[in-house]
Amino acid sequence: MTQSAVTPEEIINFWFPDGPNPEPKRHMDLWMWRMRGGANDDIMAKYVEVTERAALGNFDDWAETPMGRLALIVILDQFPRTVWAGSPNAYSQDPKALDLCLEGLDNGHFDALENVWFKSAFKLPLEHCECPDHVANLDRAVQIADRILEEAPEYLKEGYRFAAEQPRKHRAVIAQFGRHSHRNAVLGCESTPEELDYIAKREFPHETDLSKAMN
């Protein structure tokens, strides 16, 4: 399949390769693969053009269905962080991903998703997008994460209990600094002394070791 012929199903199968009945340890290892750079080589090999086209709006019609909307959120929220790593463009699609997320929360697309790992990925723009309503969005992300934990199959509860802490950690950073301070250098923003201390410690929510959740 060429990049020009990519489908939502291909993106979903790429991002969630462990199927409908995941094994707990592999499930959390795949979250690490997705969120901590393990997928970067595959994204660069397969989905650079797809990311560029999604940013131009070429796949906006995907948002007409719940799974299409999820696939578009994955492309816009996650892939730019790889394709344009180290430049402001890495975060350039966050507002669009957030709009897709918020609309999907309101129109029933989120509720229509069939499992908790789809829902967890769907809500990520609430945590990632730096915007005037970021604290309110993170409050909503915390509420959604708690709902996801309640819905998680018993054999995956431990991992999703761990995951429910992530938006809380993001919220604490935004409440303190008003932004994701680790992005400052890339975005050309000057860090405050307090932010420099925080950055030096490298205790960032997005670098939390998710694999510990199933140990």
Side-chain angles (χ1 to χ4, degrees):
M1 180 174 289
T2 66
Q3 290 199 27
S4 61
V6 69
T7 64
E9 291 76 18
E10 179 186 348
I11 299 300
I12 296 300
N13 290 335
F14 167 68
W15 208 238
F16 304 98
D18 52 343
N21 297 297
E23 185 276 325
K25 180 63 166 63
R26 173 167 163 74
H27 190 60
M28 297 313 297
D29 286 346
L30 281 169
W31 275 109
M32 283 290 291
W33 172 80
R34 283 188 284 265
M35 307 303 292
R36 303 295 183 266
N40 286 354
D41 288 346
D42 286 336
I43 291 171
M44 293 303 295
K46 301 176 182 178
Y47 298 120
V48 171
E49 180 190 333
V50 167
T51 305
E52 293 169 346
R53 293 182 65 209
L56 292 172
N58 290 177
F59 306 126
D60 285 357
D61 60 332
W62 288 11
E64 294 174 4
T65 68
M67 292 299 285
R69 184 180 295 270
L70 172 61
L72 192 53
I73 286 174
V74 167
I75 294 174
L76 294 172
D77 178 73
Q78 291 296 314
F79 290 9
R81 286 164 163 73
T82 299
V83 173
W84 297 309
S87 79
N89 280 342
Y91 313 110
S92 63
Q93 299 307 304
D94 285 5
K96 184 170 183 177
L98 177 63
D99 287 345
L100 286 163
C101 173
L102 292 172
E103 184 178 60
L105 289 168
D106 291 340
N107 72 8
H109 281 184
F110 173 84
D111 291 327
L113 296 173
E114 63 189 46
N115 58 56
V116 293
W117 43 98
F118 289 170
K119 292 180 177 180
S120 292
F122 196 101
K123 72 166 178 57
L124 285 177
L126 294 168
E127 302 172 44
H128 291 165
C129 185
E130 291 185 354
C131 59
D133 297 325
H134 203 167
V135 172
N137 288 334
L138 279 159
D139 285 338
R140 194 168 186 183
V142 167
Q143 295 170 357
I144 292 170
D146 288 343
R147 281 179 50 199
I148 288 171
L149 175 58
E150 291 177 3
E151 295 176 12
E154 195 60 38
Y155 69 98
L156 294 177
K157 287 283 190 189
E158 185 178 355
Y160 283 90
R161 186 172 295 110
F162 183 89
E165 293 304 310
Q166 290 300 102
R168 290 174 164 84
K169 293 176 181 178
H170 284 296
R171 190 193 185 285
V173 172
I174 298 303
Q176 182 175 2
F177 301 120
R179 55 190 177 182
H180 289 298
S181 303
H182 71 278
R183 301 178 185 176
N184 287 354
V186 169
L187 296 176
C189 299
E190 184 174 355
S191 297
T192 66
E194 293 78 14
E195 285 179 310
L196 290 173
D197 288 342
Y198 164 73
I199 293 167
K201 293 176 182 177
R202 295 200 63 83
E203 296 176 352
F204 307 137
H206 69 282
E207 291 185 354
T208 303
D209 187 355
L210 296 176
S211 66
K212 294 179 180 177
M214 302 309 297
N215 291 341

